[in-house]
């Protein structure tokens, strides 16, 4: 995931999208990224954080303000937009991370454990948001919550220790990804 985001350089080969190398500046304009542990400034408010991230992404002030308000509403944080992030719960911080990943309306969205810390209701809302976003864009999602994949993904790639062990539609696994995964790895590895 970090190689696709241009954070790590591959030891061999190249990664590109429509002839844009992931190291090029114009590639970053189509990329949204939510790492598993994203950094934030605890003294910033939610709105300040999104405006700061928008500036880093090269989004103009007027558009940044409009998009930040829209995303805070989308992730149900509009009521706490002016509160400091250090007062947010873990799930609220995760939702703020989701909002920052969507700021530039990316064509490529990379999400590492995006539903971690979300309550069941928010997980369902987020799955629906990702499903809608994925109709027009590329989404790469890493998660250990198999049911999220069944609700979101058209195509699934399963990897173990850097090796591809499955590629296809999830329903090709006889309709139950968790059972398929358990057959491949055993129950103990599912919960690691």
């Amino acid at each position: 995931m970090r190689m696709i985001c241009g954070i790590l350089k591959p030891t061999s080969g190249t990664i590109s999208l429509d002839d844009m190398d992931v190291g090029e500046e114009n590639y970053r304009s189509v990329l949204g990224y939510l790492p598993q542990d994203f950094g934030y400034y605890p003294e910033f408010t939610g709105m300040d954080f999104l405006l700061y991230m928008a500036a880093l992404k090269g989004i103009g002030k007027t558009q940044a303000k409009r998009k930040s308000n829209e995303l805070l509403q989308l992730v149900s944080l509009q009521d706490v937009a002016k509160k400091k992030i250090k007062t947010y719960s873990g799930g609220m911080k995760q939702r703020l991370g989701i909002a920052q990943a969507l700021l530039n309306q990316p064509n490529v969205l990379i999400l590492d454990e995006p539903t971690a810390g979300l309550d069941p209701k928010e997980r369902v809302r987020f799955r629906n948001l990702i499903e809608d976003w994925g109709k027009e864009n590329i989404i790469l999602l890493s998660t250990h919550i198999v049911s999220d994949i069944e609700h979101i993904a058209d195509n699934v790639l399963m990897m173990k220790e850097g090796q591809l062990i499955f590629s296809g539609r999830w329903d090709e696994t006889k309709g139950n990804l968790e059972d398929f995964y358990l057959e491949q790895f055993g129950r103990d590895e599912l919960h690691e």
Side-chain angles (χ1 to χ4, degrees), residues 153-160 163-173 177 180 184-185:
D154 291 328
N155 294 301
V156 176
L157 302 172
M158 281 190 192
M159 297 181 75
K160 180 178 181 182
Q163 299 299 313
L164 186 64
I165 62 159
F166 175 78
S167 175
R169 297 186 58 82
W170 77 263
D171 53 10
E172 291 172 19
T173 65
L177 265 180
F180 176 78
Q184 302 297 311
F185 301 115

Side-chain angles (χ1 to χ4, degrees), residues 50-61:
L50 289 182
L51 293 173
Y52 173 72
M53 293 304 293
L56 292 178
K57 294 180 182 207
I59 300 170
K61 286 183 181 182

Side-chain angles (χ1 to χ4, degrees), residues 13-38:
T14 60
I15 302 170
S16 63
L17 172 71
D18 295 332
D19 296 324
M20 281 186 289
D21 186 89
V22 296
E24 294 178 27
E25 192 66 35
N26 56 344
Y27 173 75
R28 290 202 171 97
S29 69
V30 300
L31 176 69
Y33 179 47
L34 176 63
Q36 186 170 2
D37 298 311
F38 80 96

Side-chain angles (χ1 to χ4, degrees), residues 15-189:
I15 302 170
S16 63
L17 172 71
D18 295 332
D19 296 324
M20 281 186 289
D21 186 89
V22 296
E24 294 178 27
E25 192 66 35
N26 56 344
Y27 173 75
R28 290 202 171 97
S29 69
V30 300
L31 176 69
Y33 179 47
L34 176 63
Q36 186 170 2
D37 298 311
F38 80 96
Y40 60 89
Y41 298 99
E43 295 298 321
F44 276 28
T45 66
M47 177 59 83
D48 290 341
F49 177 74
L50 289 182
L51 293 173
Y52 173 72
M53 293 304 293
L56 292 178
K57 294 180 182 207
I59 300 170
K61 286 183 181 182
T62 303
Q63 183 184 359
K65 183 78 167 168
R66 181 186 54 75
K67 192 67 181 169
S68 295
N69 279 317
E70 178 185 309
L71 289 168
L72 285 165
Q73 185 161 354
L74 183 69
V75 298
S76 301
L77 292 176
Q78 69 276 9
D79 293 341
V80 294
K82 295 185 180 188
K83 293 192 183 224
K84 291 185 178 186
I85 299 172
K86 69 181 180 182
T87 67
Y88 286 15
S89 69
M92 292 165 78
K93 290 174 187 168
Q94 191 69 3
R95 287 184 281 154
L96 184 63
I98 292 164
Q100 70 77 30
L102 296 173
L103 268 170
N104 59 329
Q105 297 181 270
N107 300 108
V108 178
L109 186 58
I110 311 286
L111 304 166
D112 191 2
E113 298 289 347
T115 59
L118 298 181
D119 65 41
K121 180 181 169 188
E122 286 299 325
R123 270 190 41 229
V124 170
R125 277 179 31 107
F126 178 70
R127 284 192 321 221
N128 293 337
L129 182 142
I130 292 304
E131 184 178 14
D132 289 343
W133 199 270
K135 290 176 183 171
E136 301 291 325
N137 303 287
I138 298 168
I139 299 176
L140 180 61
L141 171 74
S142 172
T143 184
H144 67 281
I145 303 172
V146 178
S147 63
D148 285 350
I149 298 168
E150 291 177 347
H151 291 289
I152 297 171
D154 291 328
N155 294 301
V156 176
L157 302 172
M158 281 190 192
M159 297 181 75
K160 180 178 181 182
E161 297 173 0
Q163 299 299 313
L164 186 64
I165 62 159
F166 175 78
S167 175
R169 297 186 58 82
W170 77 263
D171 53 10
E172 291 172 19
T173 65
K174 309 294 186 257
N176 190 316
L177 265 180
E178 188 163 353
D179 288 346
F180 176 78
Y181 186 89
L182 292 172
E183 288 172 18
Q184 302 297 311
F185 301 115
R187 189 161 297 280
D188 292 337
E189 289 197 33

